[in-house]
Amino acid sequence: MARVYYTKEHEWIAVDGDTATVGITAHAAEQLGDIVYVETPAEGASVEKGAEAGVVESVKAASDVYAPASGEVTETNTALEGEPGKVNESPQGEGWFYRLKLSDPSELEDLMDEAAYKDFLKSEG
Amino acid sequence: MSGPQDLLKTPLHALHLELGARMVPFAGYDMPVQYPAGIVREHKHTRASAGLFDVSHMGQAWLVGPGFEAVAAALEKLVPGDMLGLEKGRQRYTQLTNETGGIIDDLMVTRPADHDDRLFLVVNAARKDVDYDWISRHLPEGVRLEPWEERALIALQGPRAEAVMARHCPGAEKMGFMDASAGDVAGIPARFSRSGYTGEDGYEISVAARDAERLAKTLLAEPEVEPIGLGARDTLRLEAGLCLYGHDIDETTSPVEAALVWSIGKRRREEGGFMGSGRILRELAEGVSRKRTGIAPQGRAPAREGVKVLNEAGEEVGVITSGGFGPTAGGPVAMGYVKPPFNRKDTPLKLLVRGREMPARAASAVFVPHNYKR
């Protein structure tokens, strides 16, 4: 069973062993509004924890997406090219962005679990 | 820092909150950017049925003088549009230009059918103060500008707007595009025109602030009508190729560069005699070094304001001034200034988006055909 972690930048990462799936949270999708374009890192690319790794664009604006952990991209969600609205409909399901092979699972330690993320959202008002 | 408490409120502010709007600061006002339906649904609803927009933040003012001709002649010193040729009950789009031919603001001018000593102006919210000061300083004796305070402006836009309006204002269906009238709408004294800024048929209705909520609620109670926020207002006008002041036009861009020559009267082109006519007439004769044009990105990624436009050889030939996703167009749409001849329709271009070149083409700025009642 995958464990899900959250970042302060509103990404989620679901981890199963050394593989992980990344996307943006329901809160982020709700704040962005209608999502019309998603750009993920290319398959085979390396991403670094905290660095820019893709872009999500709503009707209103473009926002950077940051990598919640370092690793190599093994798969991207190509379905989002034609149907970026899946991110609004199912941000933690069909609206996932890419999969990673983690290079350092210990990086996950300072991310939030679901309860901590909910508290964080409350503190952000 | 200025907080939300410093923002102005339109007469429909409480209604926006009641309808669950997400509010944002815009031109000094606390305005609805979207309602719970969201921008894409609101946009599509307007194109398919009818949308109600609160545009009360815009400036409404009277230009008053001894008679129509004196007032129109005074305004003609400040705009390139043909004001003396405006017939009773007709509205016209024009621009306030500065001495160097740049655009201070774009505005709607109406010659009311029921007054012979005045014109009615509607100007952009963010430019109200600048416009009123500029106009007042350049009026001849006997002509004065009177801002009309305590007013609301409600736009009803979309293919079903006519049917809805006719139900509350019999006869409004007979008006043509840019006709203007005065009378009761749902029993409320109003001034209204058959116009708008979405590319769709529709009306703009000016009423006293105290009547605004009653009128808005009456119209929203109609099955065809939904409230529409500023977010969809922006995507609608972008797809229709209409300029947004401060983005697509400003004090440096001339009406010729902005491809607004259609709004310059024939007589005005021959006679000149308005602010900035030196540059504008020269540009009409000799051409311009940049021209507003539609730009169609060929991929899926939106290209937004500030994105550089390159020609096939990779030389910078322009910049995007408005761009985003067009819900009706079903993809990215944009407009911007491009150096001739690269503005010619279908010219292959490249856009520099986040450091990467993306293919695009010069296009008509009208991505979704206008649906006006001619």
PDB file of all heavy atoms in Angstrom, chain A residues 30-34 36-37 39 55 57-64 81-82 84, chain B residues 22 33-34 37-41 231 235 300-302 304 324-325 327 353-354 356:
ATOM      1  N   GLU A  30      -8.216  23.168  -6.956  1.00  0.00           N
ATOM      2  CA  GLU A  30      -9.370  24.039  -6.666  1.00  0.00           C
ATOM      3  C   GLU A  30      -8.962  25.517  -6.752  1.00  0.00           C
ATOM      4  O   GLU A  30      -9.675  26.346  -7.322  1.00  0.00           O
ATOM      5  CB  GLU A  30      -9.909  23.674  -5.284  1.00  0.00           C
ATOM      6  CG  GLU A  30     -10.653  24.749  -4.518  1.00  0.00           C
ATOM      7  CD  GLU A  30     -12.022  25.041  -5.094  1.00  0.00           C
ATOM      8  OE1 GLU A  30     -12.522  24.195  -5.845  1.00  0.00           O
ATOM      9  OE2 GLU A  30     -12.570  26.127  -4.791  1.00  0.00           O
ATOM     10  N   GLN A  31      -7.785  25.824  -6.198  1.00  0.00           N
ATOM     11  CA  GLN A  31      -7.315  27.210  -6.227  1.00  0.00           C
ATOM     12  C   GLN A  31      -6.998  27.672  -7.652  1.00  0.00           C
ATOM     13  O   GLN A  31      -7.264  28.809  -8.007  1.00  0.00           O
ATOM     14  CB  GLN A  31      -6.054  27.365  -5.355  1.00  0.00           C
ATOM     15  CG  GLN A  31      -6.329  27.308  -3.864  1.00  0.00           C
ATOM     16  CD  GLN A  31      -7.249  28.416  -3.399  1.00  0.00           C
ATOM     17  OE1 GLN A  31      -7.022  29.587  -3.672  1.00  0.00           O
ATOM     18  NE2 GLN A  31      -8.337  28.051  -2.728  1.00  0.00           N
ATOM     19  N   LEU A  32      -6.424  26.774  -8.451  1.00  0.00           N
ATOM     20  CA  LEU A  32      -6.055  27.147  -9.818  1.00  0.00           C
ATOM     21  C   LEU A  32      -7.276  27.347 -10.702  1.00  0.00           C
ATOM     22  O   LEU A  32      -7.262  28.151 -11.622  1.00  0.00           O
ATOM     23  CB  LEU A  32      -5.150  26.068 -10.438  1.00  0.00           C
ATOM     24  CG  LEU A  32      -3.733  25.991  -9.866  1.00  0.00           C
ATOM     25  CD1 LEU A  32      -3.066  24.688 -10.287  1.00  0.00           C
ATOM     26  CD2 LEU A  32      -2.907  27.178 -10.350  1.00  0.00           C
ATOM     27  N   GLY A  33      -8.330  26.578 -10.428  1.00  0.00           N
ATOM     28  CA  GLY A  33      -9.509  26.643 -11.297  1.00  0.00           C
ATOM     29  C   GLY A  33      -9.326  25.705 -12.482  1.00  0.00           C
ATOM     30  O   GLY A  33      -8.533  24.761 -12.423  1.00  0.00           O
ATOM     31  N   ASP A  34     -10.038  26.011 -13.583  1.00  0.00           N
ATOM     32  CA  ASP A  34     -10.039  25.102 -14.731  1.00  0.00           C
ATOM     33  C   ASP A  34      -8.636  24.947 -15.311  1.00  0.00           C
ATOM     34  O   ASP A  34      -8.080  25.890 -15.866  1.00  0.00           O
ATOM     35  CB  ASP A  34     -10.967  25.637 -15.821  1.00  0.00           C
ATOM     36  CG  ASP A  34     -12.399  25.732 -15.336  1.00  0.00           C
ATOM     37  OD1 ASP A  34     -12.902  24.721 -14.825  1.00  0.00           O
ATOM     38  OD2 ASP A  34     -13.002  26.817 -15.472  1.00  0.00           O
ATOM     39  N   VAL A  36      -5.958  23.848 -17.998  1.00  0.00           N
ATOM     40  CA  VAL A  36      -6.029  23.720 -19.452  1.00  0.00           C
ATOM     41  C   VAL A  36      -4.744  23.169 -20.066  1.00  0.00           C
ATOM     42  O   VAL A  36      -4.710  22.847 -21.246  1.00  0.00           O
ATOM     43  CB  VAL A  36      -6.374  25.080 -20.107  1.00  0.00           C
ATOM     44  CG1 VAL A  36      -7.752  25.547 -19.662  1.00  0.00           C
ATOM     45  CG2 VAL A  36      -5.325  26.146 -19.780  1.00  0.00           C
ATOM     46  N   TYR A  37      -3.696  23.057 -19.264  1.00  0.00           N
ATOM     47  CA  TYR A  37      -2.434  22.572 -19.829  1.00  0.00           C
ATOM     48  C   TYR A  37      -1.525  22.089 -18.703  1.00  0.00           C
ATOM     49  O   TYR A  37      -1.413  22.742 -17.667  1.00  0.00           O
ATOM     50  CB  TYR A  37      -1.738  23.704 -20.596  1.00  0.00           C
ATOM     51  CG  TYR A  37      -0.411  23.316 -21.200  1.00  0.00           C
ATOM     52  CD1 TYR A  37      -0.341  22.488 -22.313  1.00  0.00           C
ATOM     53  CD2 TYR A  37       0.780  23.786 -20.638  1.00  0.00           C
ATOM     54  CE1 TYR A  37       0.880  22.135 -22.858  1.00  0.00           C
ATOM     55  CE2 TYR A  37       2.010  23.432 -21.196  1.00  0.00           C
ATOM     56  CZ  TYR A  37       2.051  22.611 -22.301  1.00  0.00           C
ATOM     57  OH  TYR A  37       3.261  22.261 -22.842  1.00  0.00           O
ATOM     58  N   GLU A  39       2.441  20.450 -18.180  1.00  0.00           N
ATOM     59  CA  GLU A  39       3.724  20.078 -18.771  1.00  0.00           C
ATOM     60  C   GLU A  39       4.508  19.348 -17.690  1.00  0.00           C
ATOM     61  O   GLU A  39       4.743  19.906 -16.613  1.00  0.00           O
ATOM     62  CB  GLU A  39       4.452  21.344 -19.201  1.00  0.00           C
ATOM     63  CG  GLU A  39       5.636  21.110 -20.101  1.00  0.00           C
ATOM     64  CD  GLU A  39       6.194  22.455 -20.588  1.00  0.00           C
ATOM     65  OE1 GLU A  39       5.557  23.066 -21.475  1.00  0.00           O
ATOM     66  OE2 GLU A  39       7.220  22.881 -20.053  1.00  0.00           O
ATOM     67  N   VAL A  55       4.959  22.426 -15.305  1.00  0.00           N
ATOM     68  CA  VAL A  55       4.114  23.612 -15.207  1.00  0.00           C
ATOM     69  C   VAL A  55       2.662  23.167 -15.288  1.00  0.00           C
ATOM     70  O   VAL A  55       2.344  22.226 -16.018  1.00  0.00           O
ATOM     71  CB  VAL A  55       4.415  24.579 -16.380  1.00  0.00           C
ATOM     72  CG1 VAL A  55       3.392  25.700 -16.450  1.00  0.00           C
ATOM     73  CG2 VAL A  55       5.811  25.165 -16.243  1.00  0.00           C
ATOM     74  N   GLU A  57      -1.091  24.968 -16.026  1.00  0.00           N
ATOM     75  CA  GLU A  57      -1.725  26.231 -16.399  1.00  0.00           C
ATOM     76  C   GLU A  57      -3.232  26.116 -16.280  1.00  0.00           C
ATOM     77  O   GLU A  57      -3.842  25.173 -16.781  1.00  0.00           O
ATOM     78  CB  GLU A  57      -1.359  26.599 -17.844  1.00  0.00           C
ATOM     79  CG  GLU A  57       0.136  26.779 -18.028  1.00  0.00           C
ATOM     80  CD  GLU A  57       0.473  27.821 -19.082  1.00  0.00           C
ATOM     81  OE1 GLU A  57      -0.392  28.672 -19.371  1.00  0.00           O
ATOM     82  OE2 GLU A  57       1.605  27.766 -19.595  1.00  0.00           O
ATOM     83  N   SER A  58      -3.804  27.087 -15.600  1.00  0.00           N
ATOM     84  CA  SER A  58      -5.255  27.193 -15.563  1.00  0.00           C
ATOM     85  C   SER A  58      -5.649  28.268 -16.561  1.00  0.00           C
ATOM     86  O   SER A  58      -4.786  28.872 -17.207  1.00  0.00           O
ATOM     87  CB  SER A  58      -5.715  27.577 -14.165  1.00  0.00           C
ATOM     88  OG  SER A  58      -5.340  28.906 -13.889  1.00  0.00           O
ATOM     89  N   VAL A  59      -6.951  28.510 -16.706  1.00  0.00           N
ATOM     90  CA  VAL A  59      -7.383  29.586 -17.596  1.00  0.00           C
ATOM     91  C   VAL A  59      -6.717  30.886 -17.166  1.00  0.00           C
ATOM     92  O   VAL A  59      -6.307  31.690 -17.986  1.00  0.00           O
ATOM     93  CB  VAL A  59      -8.917  29.733 -17.550  1.00  0.00           C
ATOM     94  CG1 VAL A  59      -9.363  30.876 -18.451  1.00  0.00           C
ATOM     95  CG2 VAL A  59      -9.590  28.451 -17.994  1.00  0.00           C
ATOM     96  N   LYS A  60      -6.569  31.048 -15.851  1.00  0.00           N
ATOM     97  CA  LYS A  60      -6.080  32.316 -15.319  1.00  0.00           C
ATOM     98  C   LYS A  60      -4.577  32.517 -15.440  1.00  0.00           C
ATOM     99  O   LYS A  60      -4.122  33.605 -15.760  1.00  0.00           O
ATOM    100  CB  LYS A  60      -6.475  32.456 -13.838  1.00  0.00           C
ATOM    101  CG  LYS A  60      -7.893  32.932 -13.629  1.00  0.00           C
ATOM    102  CD  LYS A  60      -8.267  32.922 -12.151  1.00  0.00           C
ATOM    103  CE  LYS A  60      -8.572  31.533 -11.663  1.00  0.00           C
ATOM    104  NZ  LYS A  60      -9.033  31.470 -10.286  1.00  0.00           N
ATOM    105  N   ALA A  61      -3.784  31.486 -15.105  1.00  0.00           N
ATOM    106  CA  ALA A  61      -2.348  31.712 -14.974  1.00  0.00           C
ATOM    107  C   ALA A  61      -1.554  30.418 -15.067  1.00  0.00           C
ATOM    108  O   ALA A  61      -2.105  29.323 -14.958  1.00  0.00           O
ATOM    109  CB  ALA A  61      -2.051  32.379 -13.635  1.00  0.00           C
ATOM    110  N   ALA A  62      -0.237  30.586 -15.266  1.00  0.00           N
ATOM    111  CA  ALA A  62       0.676  29.448 -15.271  1.00  0.00           C
ATOM    112  C   ALA A  62       1.347  29.355 -13.902  1.00  0.00           C
ATOM    113  O   ALA A  62       1.710  30.367 -13.316  1.00  0.00           O
ATOM    114  CB  ALA A  62       1.739  29.643 -16.344  1.00  0.00           C
ATOM    115  N   SER A  63       1.497  28.150 -13.377  1.00  0.00           N
ATOM    116  CA  SER A  63       2.163  27.955 -12.089  1.00  0.00           C
ATOM    117  C   SER A  63       3.213  26.866 -12.220  1.00  0.00           C
ATOM    118  O   SER A  63       2.988  25.856 -12.878  1.00  0.00           O
ATOM    119  CB  SER A  63       1.161  27.513 -11.023  1.00  0.00           C
ATOM    120  OG  SER A  63       0.081  28.402 -10.969  1.00  0.00           O
ATOM    121  N   ASP A  64       4.354  27.091 -11.581  1.00  0.00           N
ATOM    122  CA  ASP A  64       5.396  26.064 -11.573  1.00  0.00           C
ATOM    123  C   ASP A  64       4.978  24.923 -10.655  1.00  0.00           C
ATOM    124  O   ASP A  64       4.276  25.124  -9.670  1.00  0.00           O
ATOM    125  CB  ASP A  64       6.709  26.657 -11.060  1.00  0.00           C
ATOM    126  CG  ASP A  64       7.320  27.616 -12.069  1.00  0.00           C
ATOM    127  OD1 ASP A  64       7.220  27.324 -13.281  1.00  0.00           O
ATOM    128  OD2 ASP A  64       7.877  28.643 -11.648  1.00  0.00           O
ATOM    129  N   GLU A  81      -2.437  15.393 -21.828  1.00  0.00           N
ATOM    130  CA  GLU A  81      -2.245  16.255 -23.003  1.00  0.00           C
ATOM    131  C   GLU A  81      -3.587  16.606 -23.630  1.00  0.00           C
ATOM    132  O   GLU A  81      -3.843  17.752 -23.964  1.00  0.00           O
ATOM    133  CB  GLU A  81      -1.368  15.539 -24.048  1.00  0.00           C
ATOM    134  CG  GLU A  81       0.089  15.476 -23.644  1.00  0.00           C
ATOM    135  CD  GLU A  81       0.897  14.536 -24.547  1.00  0.00           C
ATOM    136  OE1 GLU A  81       0.485  14.298 -25.709  1.00  0.00           O
ATOM    137  OE2 GLU A  81       1.939  14.039 -24.080  1.00  0.00           O
ATOM    138  N   GLY A  82      -4.443  15.608 -23.787  1.00  0.00           N
ATOM    139  CA  GLY A  82      -5.750  15.841 -24.399  1.00  0.00           C
ATOM    140  C   GLY A  82      -6.805  16.233 -23.387  1.00  0.00           C
ATOM    141  O   GLY A  82      -7.783  16.894 -23.725  1.00  0.00           O
ATOM    142  N   PRO A  84      -6.516  17.789 -19.890  1.00  0.00           N
ATOM    143  CA  PRO A  84      -5.926  18.365 -18.666  1.00  0.00           C
ATOM    144  C   PRO A  84      -6.956  18.553 -17.556  1.00  0.00           C
ATOM    145  O   PRO A  84      -6.602  18.618 -16.377  1.00  0.00           O
ATOM    146  CB  PRO A  84      -5.355  19.703 -19.145  1.00  0.00           C
ATOM    147  CG  PRO A  84      -6.079  20.021 -20.408  1.00  0.00           C
ATOM    148  CD  PRO A  84      -6.419  18.705 -21.036  1.00  0.00           C
TER     149      PRO A  84
ATOM    150  N   ARG B  22     -15.756  34.129  -6.193  1.00  0.00           N
ATOM    151  CA  ARG B  22     -14.396  34.324  -5.685  1.00  0.00           C
ATOM    152  C   ARG B  22     -14.014  35.747  -6.066  1.00  0.00           C
ATOM    153  O   ARG B  22     -14.035  36.110  -7.238  1.00  0.00           O
ATOM    154  CB  ARG B  22     -13.448  33.322  -6.321  1.00  0.00           C
ATOM    155  CG  ARG B  22     -12.046  33.392  -5.731  1.00  0.00           C
ATOM    156  CD  ARG B  22     -11.119  32.389  -6.388  1.00  0.00           C
ATOM    157  NE  ARG B  22     -11.504  31.013  -6.116  1.00  0.00           N
ATOM    158  CZ  ARG B  22     -10.875  29.959  -6.647  1.00  0.00           C
ATOM    159  NH1 ARG B  22      -9.870  30.130  -7.471  1.00  0.00           N
ATOM    160  NH2 ARG B  22     -11.267  28.738  -6.350  1.00  0.00           N
ATOM    161  N   VAL B  33     -14.131  37.270  -9.813  1.00  0.00           N
ATOM    162  CA  VAL B  33     -13.361  36.728 -10.942  1.00  0.00           C
ATOM    163  C   VAL B  33     -14.084  35.508 -11.500  1.00  0.00           C
ATOM    164  O   VAL B  33     -14.035  35.231 -12.694  1.00  0.00           O
ATOM    165  CB  VAL B  33     -11.899  36.404 -10.551  1.00  0.00           C
ATOM    166  CG1 VAL B  33     -11.814  35.312  -9.508  1.00  0.00           C
ATOM    167  CG2 VAL B  33     -11.064  36.048 -11.764  1.00  0.00           C
ATOM    168  N   GLN B  34     -14.783  34.791 -10.610  1.00  0.00           N
ATOM    169  CA  GLN B  34     -15.586  33.653 -11.069  1.00  0.00           C
ATOM    170  C   GLN B  34     -16.605  33.300  -9.998  1.00  0.00           C
ATOM    171  O   GLN B  34     -16.467  33.662  -8.836  1.00  0.00           O
ATOM    172  CB  GLN B  34     -14.708  32.448 -11.371  1.00  0.00           C
ATOM    173  CG  GLN B  34     -13.984  31.891 -10.144  1.00  0.00           C
ATOM    174  CD  GLN B  34     -13.274  30.580 -10.437  1.00  0.00           C
ATOM    175  OE1 GLN B  34     -12.197  30.570 -10.991  1.00  0.00           O
ATOM    176  NE2 GLN B  34     -13.913  29.475 -10.069  1.00  0.00           N
ATOM    177  N   ALA B  37     -19.443  27.967 -10.751  1.00  0.00           N
ATOM    178  CA  ALA B  37     -19.383  27.206 -12.011  1.00  0.00           C
ATOM    179  C   ALA B  37     -17.974  27.196 -12.587  1.00  0.00           C
ATOM    180  O   ALA B  37     -17.560  26.209 -13.204  1.00  0.00           O
ATOM    181  CB  ALA B  37     -20.363  27.796 -13.026  1.00  0.00           C
ATOM    182  N   GLY B  38     -17.215  28.258 -12.414  1.00  0.00           N
ATOM    183  CA  GLY B  38     -15.849  28.320 -12.936  1.00  0.00           C
ATOM    184  C   GLY B  38     -15.789  28.991 -14.303  1.00  0.00           C
ATOM    185  O   GLY B  38     -16.790  29.069 -15.027  1.00  0.00           O
ATOM    186  N   ILE B  39     -14.599  29.447 -14.652  1.00  0.00           N
ATOM    187  CA  ILE B  39     -14.421  30.290 -15.836  1.00  0.00           C
ATOM    188  C   ILE B  39     -14.849  29.593 -17.133  1.00  0.00           C
ATOM    189  O   ILE B  39     -15.541  30.178 -17.962  1.00  0.00           O
ATOM    190  CB  ILE B  39     -12.958  30.769 -15.934  1.00  0.00           C
ATOM    191  CG1 ILE B  39     -12.618  31.683 -14.746  1.00  0.00           C
ATOM    192  CG2 ILE B  39     -12.704  31.501 -17.246  1.00  0.00           C
ATOM    193  CD1 ILE B  39     -11.163  32.089 -14.644  1.00  0.00           C
ATOM    194  N   VAL B  40     -14.445  28.336 -17.299  1.00  0.00           N
ATOM    195  CA  VAL B  40     -14.733  27.658 -18.568  1.00  0.00           C
ATOM    196  C   VAL B  40     -16.247  27.482 -18.754  1.00  0.00           C
ATOM    197  O   VAL B  40     -16.798  27.776 -19.823  1.00  0.00           O
ATOM    198  CB  VAL B  40     -13.990  26.309 -18.653  1.00  0.00           C
ATOM    199  CG1 VAL B  40     -14.483  25.493 -19.838  1.00  0.00           C
ATOM    200  CG2 VAL B  40     -12.481  26.542 -18.764  1.00  0.00           C
ATOM    201  N   ARG B  41     -16.936  27.036 -17.701  1.00  0.00           N
ATOM    202  CA  ARG B  41     -18.394  26.874 -17.820  1.00  0.00           C
ATOM    203  C   ARG B  41     -19.085  28.209 -18.021  1.00  0.00           C
ATOM    204  O   ARG B  41     -20.037  28.322 -18.794  1.00  0.00           O
ATOM    205  CB  ARG B  41     -18.968  26.194 -16.574  1.00  0.00           C
ATOM    206  CG  ARG B  41     -18.737  24.704 -16.584  1.00  0.00           C
ATOM    207  CD  ARG B  41     -19.796  23.989 -15.732  1.00  0.00           C
ATOM    208  NE  ARG B  41     -19.321  22.642 -15.486  1.00  0.00           N
ATOM    209  CZ  ARG B  41     -19.041  22.165 -14.282  1.00  0.00           C
ATOM    210  NH1 ARG B  41     -19.272  22.889 -13.206  1.00  0.00           N
ATOM    211  NH2 ARG B  41     -18.584  20.945 -14.148  1.00  0.00           N
ATOM    212  N   GLY B 231     -13.110  36.646 -15.032  1.00  0.00           N
ATOM    213  CA  GLY B 231     -12.250  35.648 -15.675  1.00  0.00           C
ATOM    214  C   GLY B 231     -12.788  35.294 -17.052  1.00  0.00           C
ATOM    215  O   GLY B 231     -12.068  35.323 -18.054  1.00  0.00           O
ATOM    216  N   THR B 235     -11.623  35.892 -21.140  1.00  0.00           N
ATOM    217  CA  THR B 235     -11.461  34.879 -22.194  1.00  0.00           C
ATOM    218  C   THR B 235     -12.421  35.146 -23.354  1.00  0.00           C
ATOM    219  O   THR B 235     -12.080  34.898 -24.511  1.00  0.00           O
ATOM    220  CB  THR B 235     -11.648  33.447 -21.651  1.00  0.00           C
ATOM    221  OG1 THR B 235     -12.906  33.355 -20.952  1.00  0.00           O
ATOM    222  CG2 THR B 235     -10.536  33.071 -20.682  1.00  0.00           C
ATOM    223  N   ARG B 300      -0.511  22.964 -27.606  1.00  0.00           N
ATOM    224  CA  ARG B 300      -1.555  23.065 -26.593  1.00  0.00           C
ATOM    225  C   ARG B 300      -1.217  24.092 -25.521  1.00  0.00           C
ATOM    226  O   ARG B 300      -2.093  24.510 -24.770  1.00  0.00           O
ATOM    227  CB  ARG B 300      -1.757  21.699 -25.901  1.00  0.00           C
ATOM    228  CG  ARG B 300      -2.173  20.565 -26.822  1.00  0.00           C
ATOM    229  CD  ARG B 300      -3.562  20.745 -27.387  1.00  0.00           C
ATOM    230  NE  ARG B 300      -4.591  20.893 -26.363  1.00  0.00           N
ATOM    231  CZ  ARG B 300      -5.853  21.228 -26.610  1.00  0.00           C
ATOM    232  NH1 ARG B 300      -6.237  21.473 -27.849  1.00  0.00           N
ATOM    233  NH2 ARG B 300      -6.713  21.343 -25.635  1.00  0.00           N
ATOM    234  N   ALA B 301       0.047  24.474 -25.413  1.00  0.00           N
ATOM    235  CA  ALA B 301       0.456  25.346 -24.306  1.00  0.00           C
ATOM    236  C   ALA B 301       0.013  26.778 -24.550  1.00  0.00           C
ATOM    237  O   ALA B 301       0.261  27.338 -25.623  1.00  0.00           O
ATOM    238  CB  ALA B 301       1.965  25.303 -24.127  1.00  0.00           C
ATOM    239  N   PRO B 302      -0.656  27.400 -23.576  1.00  0.00           N
ATOM    240  CA  PRO B 302      -1.004  28.807 -23.718  1.00  0.00           C
ATOM    241  C   PRO B 302       0.265  29.664 -23.761  1.00  0.00           C
ATOM    242  O   PRO B 302       1.267  29.338 -23.128  1.00  0.00           O
ATOM    243  CB  PRO B 302      -1.793  29.119 -22.448  1.00  0.00           C
ATOM    244  CG  PRO B 302      -2.214  27.796 -21.895  1.00  0.00           C
ATOM    245  CD  PRO B 302      -1.142  26.830 -22.304  1.00  0.00           C
ATOM    246  N   ARG B 304       1.304  33.517 -22.966  1.00  0.00           N
ATOM    247  CA  ARG B 304       0.676  34.637 -22.270  1.00  0.00           C
ATOM    248  C   ARG B 304       1.389  35.954 -22.522  1.00  0.00           C
ATOM    249  O   ARG B 304       2.415  36.007 -23.184  1.00  0.00           O
ATOM    250  CB  ARG B 304       0.605  34.321 -20.767  1.00  0.00           C
ATOM    251  CG  ARG B 304      -0.233  33.077 -20.498  1.00  0.00           C
ATOM    252  CD  ARG B 304      -0.353  32.748 -19.024  1.00  0.00           C
ATOM    253  NE  ARG B 304      -0.939  31.432 -18.831  1.00  0.00           N
ATOM    254  CZ  ARG B 304      -2.249  31.194 -18.679  1.00  0.00           C
ATOM    255  NH1 ARG B 304      -3.116  32.176 -18.680  1.00  0.00           N
ATOM    256  NH2 ARG B 304      -2.697  29.960 -18.519  1.00  0.00           N
ATOM    257  N   GLY B 324      -3.899  33.240 -23.755  1.00  0.00           N
ATOM    258  CA  GLY B 324      -4.358  32.253 -22.786  1.00  0.00           C
ATOM    259  C   GLY B 324      -5.102  31.153 -23.513  1.00  0.00           C
ATOM    260  O   GLY B 324      -4.846  30.898 -24.692  1.00  0.00           O
ATOM    261  N   PHE B 325      -6.020  30.544 -22.787  1.00  0.00           N
ATOM    262  CA  PHE B 325      -6.780  29.428 -23.321  1.00  0.00           C
ATOM    263  C   PHE B 325      -8.158  29.926 -23.724  1.00  0.00           C
ATOM    264  O   PHE B 325      -8.820  30.621 -22.956  1.00  0.00           O
ATOM    265  CB  PHE B 325      -6.899  28.351 -22.242  1.00  0.00           C
ATOM    266  CG  PHE B 325      -7.712  27.158 -22.650  1.00  0.00           C
ATOM    267  CD1 PHE B 325      -7.160  26.159 -23.436  1.00  0.00           C
ATOM    268  CD2 PHE B 325      -9.040  27.037 -22.251  1.00  0.00           C
ATOM    269  CE1 PHE B 325      -7.913  25.055 -23.811  1.00  0.00           C
ATOM    270  CE2 PHE B 325      -9.795  25.934 -22.620  1.00  0.00           C
ATOM    271  CZ  PHE B 325      -9.229  24.943 -23.408  1.00  0.00           C
ATOM    272  N   PRO B 327     -11.779  28.851 -24.308  1.00  0.00           N
ATOM    273  CA  PRO B 327     -12.672  27.698 -24.100  1.00  0.00           C
ATOM    274  C   PRO B 327     -13.506  27.342 -25.329  1.00  0.00           C
ATOM    275  O   PRO B 327     -13.736  26.154 -25.586  1.00  0.00           O
ATOM    276  CB  PRO B 327     -13.568  28.152 -22.947  1.00  0.00           C
ATOM    277  CG  PRO B 327     -12.721  29.117 -22.178  1.00  0.00           C
ATOM    278  CD  PRO B 327     -11.955  29.872 -23.243  1.00  0.00           C
ATOM    279  N   VAL B 353       8.355  30.375 -25.114  1.00  0.00           N
ATOM    280  CA  VAL B 353       7.617  30.094 -23.886  1.00  0.00           C
ATOM    281  C   VAL B 353       8.526  29.324 -22.926  1.00  0.00           C
ATOM    282  O   VAL B 353       8.958  28.220 -23.248  1.00  0.00           O
ATOM    283  CB  VAL B 353       6.336  29.273 -24.181  1.00  0.00           C
ATOM    284  CG1 VAL B 353       5.608  28.937 -22.882  1.00  0.00           C
ATOM    285  CG2 VAL B 353       5.411  30.050 -25.106  1.00  0.00           C
ATOM    286  N   ARG B 354       8.817  29.909 -21.795  1.00  0.00           N
ATOM    287  CA  ARG B 354       9.680  29.275 -20.792  1.00  0.00           C
ATOM    288  C   ARG B 354      10.988  28.768 -21.416  1.00  0.00           C
ATOM    289  O   ARG B 354      11.425  27.640 -21.193  1.00  0.00           O
ATOM    290  CB  ARG B 354       8.948  28.133 -20.088  1.00  0.00           C
ATOM    291  CG  ARG B 354       7.805  28.623 -19.211  1.00  0.00           C
ATOM    292  CD  ARG B 354       7.144  27.492 -18.444  1.00  0.00           C
ATOM    293  NE  ARG B 354       6.248  26.714 -19.261  1.00  0.00           N
ATOM    294  CZ  ARG B 354       4.963  26.999 -19.470  1.00  0.00           C
ATOM    295  NH1 ARG B 354       4.425  28.060 -18.922  1.00  0.00           N
ATOM    296  NH2 ARG B 354       4.219  26.236 -20.223  1.00  0.00           N
ATOM    297  N   ARG B 356      11.645  27.871 -24.376  1.00  0.00           N
ATOM    298  CA  ARG B 356      11.552  26.938 -25.518  1.00  0.00           C
ATOM    299  C   ARG B 356      10.762  27.570 -26.653  1.00  0.00           C
ATOM    300  O   ARG B 356       9.802  28.296 -26.425  1.00  0.00           O
ATOM    301  CB  ARG B 356      10.855  25.652 -25.070  1.00  0.00           C
ATOM    302  CG  ARG B 356      11.746  24.749 -24.242  1.00  0.00           C
ATOM    303  CD  ARG B 356      11.465  23.278 -24.545  1.00  0.00           C
ATOM    304  NE  ARG B 356      10.063  22.944 -24.377  1.00  0.00           N
ATOM    305  CZ  ARG B 356       9.574  22.410 -23.255  1.00  0.00           C
ATOM    306  NH1 ARG B 356      10.345  22.169 -22.234  1.00  0.00           N
ATOM    307  NH2 ARG B 356       8.298  22.110 -23.174  1.00  0.00           N
TER     308      ARG B 356
END
